[in-house]
């Protein structure tokens, strides 16, 4: 569950990045969030491959996986929001 959530968040931020956010005002927060979620997806992808090669089943959709996915998505979106606020404050300070 958490692997799928990390890949979906990476895809969403990558789509935003390639759709034109890289030229916009919030380019750094979008790129940073994309890299954070891509790193998490890569880490868990390697973990899933290691578990599958050891003969264990693919991690299913249990309550612990859903809770972990929710925490990771909330933390990543929280960091994204903080980065957007600091970017906005930096732009407002530059205008003054």
């Amino acid at each position: 569950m958490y692997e799928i959530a990390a890949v979906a968040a990476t895809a969403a931020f990558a789509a935003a990045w390639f759709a034109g956010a890289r030229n916009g005002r919030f380019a750094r927060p979008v790129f940073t969030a994309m890299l954070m979620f891509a790193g998490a997806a890569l880490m868990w992808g390697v973990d899933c491959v290691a578990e599958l090669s050891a003969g264990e089943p693919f991690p299913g959709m249990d309550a612990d996986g859903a809770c972990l996915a929710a925490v990771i998505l909330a933390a990543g979106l929280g960091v994204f929001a903080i980065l957007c606020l600091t970017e906005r404050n930096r732009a407002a300070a530059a205008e003054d």
Side-chain angles (χ1 to χ4, degrees):
M1 176 74 180
Y2 47 86
E3 171 66 23
I4 296 167
V7 169
T10 302
F13 278 103
W17 174 255
F18 289 113
R22 63 179 176 259
N23 300 326
R25 185 166 141 192
F26 296 110
R28 186 178 303 169
V30 170
F31 187 71
T32 303
M34 179 181 68
L35 287 180
M36 286 188 320
F37 285 121
L42 178 66
M43 177 186 68
W44 284 322
V46 169
D47 187 44
C48 287
V49 168
E51 288 179 3
L52 288 174
S53 67
E56 297 179 22
F58 187 77
M61 295 180 64
D62 57 347
D64 289 337
C67 183
L68 178 61
V71 167
I72 293 303
L73 290 177
L77 293 176
V79 169
F80 174 69
I82 290 170
L83 290 172
C84 285
L85 289 174
T86 58
E87 187 77 21
R88 189 180 74 180
N89 289 342
R90 185 178 304 147
E95 289 177 359
D96 291 338

